[in-house]
Amino acid sequence: MFLLCKQAYAQQTQTFPTNGVQDVRPNLVAYTNATIFVDYQTKIEKATLVVRNGIVEAVGKDVAIPKDAVTIDLQEKWVYPSFIDLYSDYGMPEVKRGGGGWGNEQFTSEKKGAYHWNQAIQPETNAENVFTVNATAGQDWRKAGFGSVLTHHPDGIVRGTGAIVTLRKGLEQEVILKGKASAHFSFLKGSSKQSFPASDMGAVALLRQAYIDADWYAKTTENKEHNISLEAFQQNKNLPAIFEAKNRLYALRIGEIGKEFGVNYIIKGTGDEYQRLQEIKATGAPFIIPLTFPETYDVTDV
């Protein structure tokens, strides 16, 4: 049994009207007699779990149950914290790949506003601004034991910020836990139709120049342009940086970029990192590794 309780049923919001009578009573439940894993190594037998308005209030063997709590006996049931997926595009709009490359006559950005000259550099994109609840997808996640995800808009080389959201049904205002939780990067230019970059080498060069430009922008005070993208790039440096790798060799390349600019990237791997294990270890970077179980063999016939 998975208990997806971390703000899974949050208290009703008060910033917009309710059509009908609003129930403001606290949602208070005490689960008793359960085997509860507080974390991956701490198991408590015959434990009580108190949840108020979707937030764990207390857990343990000697927990005092509030008088107004609804009590549910979980005899012979096991309770685990829900999983969190740290690399997701849940609730994000579809990214239409732009193509481009040599022979394409679009050399500068067509995005209206004081943004970066290359549309593959869009640190101003914030997942919280474009996120929409997807009830069907959220239900599939919950059935697999997930309670929340870190989601971002996977478009471009510099992709902006990601948001932590729960997978419950409800309004966007109710499910977003943290609007700006991470900064995201890749070697894919996404929806940009510009001719540059047309290669991985060009993507690396563009990213390096973005770092240099953002540093210059932050230090220069006189006679400089107003650039929304460079301002956002600089602001996002305080967030955990997650970089998508195409394979194990790209992970090593990401490690070199991180050393150059003093960034300890969290690398989203592909699962083949074991093939260059010592070099991967030497990067010192944390990794997000996909978990894919192989299909079982058909052994019904010899």
Side-chain angles (χ1 to χ4, degrees):
M1 175 180 178
F2 289 96
L3 184 64
L4 313 179
C5 63
K6 186 176 181 181
Q7 295 198 7
Y9 300 96
Q11 187 176 12
Q12 286 185 312
T13 53
Q14 304 294 324
T15 60
F16 42 85
T18 300
N19 185 15
V21 178
Q22 183 171 347
D23 187 355
V24 296
R25 293 174 298 176
N27 185 344
L28 182 59
V29 183
Y31 301 92
T32 62
N33 299 317
T35 298
I36 299 177
F37 278 83
V38 178
D39 53 44
Y40 74 97
Q41 61 183 358
T42 307
K43 181 175 73 170
I44 306 176
E45 305 277 1
K46 297 291 184 180
T48 296
L49 175 70
V50 178
V51 180
R52 186 187 298 270
N53 293 323
I55 300 176
V56 174
E57 186 173 273
V59 60
K61 295 181 68 71
D62 301 316
V63 172
I65 300 176
K67 294 182 179 180
D68 54 342
V70 175
T71 302
I72 298 177
D73 190 351
L74 294 185
Q75 182 73 32
E76 299 183 356
K77 297 292 193 303
W78 293 49
V79 178
Y80 302 85
S82 62
F83 297 129
I84 302 173
D85 194 309
L86 292 178
Y87 201 86
S88 167
D89 61 355
Y90 167 73
M92 293 293 109
E94 179 185 0
V95 178
K96 297 181 179 179
R97 301 301 172 185
W102 300 115
N104 189 321
E105 296 182 356
Q106 183 186 338
F107 297 106
T108 57
S109 174
E110 293 183 347
K111 185 174 182 177
K112 304 300 182 183
Y115 298 104
H116 196 277
W117 68 270
N118 194 292
Q119 284 181 244
I121 305 297
Q122 39 185 333
E124 69 279 356
T125 298
N126 297 313
E128 63 176 341
N129 294 342
V130 295
F131 170 75
T132 57
V133 173
N134 186 327
T136 301
Q139 183 178 21
D140 293 338
W141 281 95
R142 294 196 304 274
K143 286 181 179 179
F146 288 84
S148 55
V149 298
L150 174 60
T151 186
H152 76 288
H153 194 223
D155 184 14
I157 293 171
V158 181
R159 297 174 166 183
T161 62
I164 298 177
V165 303
T166 63
L167 297 164
R168 58 159 295 195
K169 297 178 182 179
L171 299 172
E172 286 72 24
Q173 294 91 331
E174 298 172 311
V175 305
I176 295 177
L177 300 181
K178 188 170 184 178
K180 292 183 178 66
S182 54
H184 292 262
F185 303 83
S186 79
F187 290 119
L188 303 172
K189 67 179 185 178
S191 61
S192 173
K193 296 181 180 179
Q194 291 178 239
S195 57
F196 181 78
S199 65
D200 291 334
M201 183 172 61
V204 172
L206 182 61
L207 177 58
R208 292 180 70 249
Q209 190 63 53
Y211 271 104
I212 295 169
D213 289 345
D215 185 59
W216 165 85
Y217 190 86
K219 294 178 180 178
T220 303
T221 57
E222 297 180 359
N223 300 323
K224 70 175 182 180
E225 64 184 81
H226 178 75
N227 194 302
I228 299 172
S229 299
L230 294 182
E231 286 188 0
F233 194 104
Q234 197 68 19
Q235 293 168 359
N236 296 348
K237 285 184 177 181
N238 296 323
L239 299 173
I242 301 177
F243 207 128
E244 178 184 351
K246 296 180 182 179
N247 57 43
R248 62 195 181 282
L249 299 181
Y250 282 88
L252 299 178
R253 188 173 297 168
I254 293 168
E256 291 299 319
I257 296 173
K259 290 179 182 178
E260 180 179 359
F261 294 101
V263 182
N264 188 25
Y265 291 113
I266 301 169
I267 300 177
K268 191 274 181 181
T270 58
D272 66 352
E273 289 75 17
Y274 67 93
Q275 298 180 34
R276 297 291 292 272
L277 194 56
Q278 294 305 316
E279 294 91 336
I280 291 293
K281 183 179 179 181
T283 65
F287 276 77
I288 299 172
I289 301 297
L291 179 62
T292 304
F293 293 108
E295 295 184 7
T296 57
Y297 290 107
D298 182 4
V299 294
T300 57
D301 187 274
V302 68

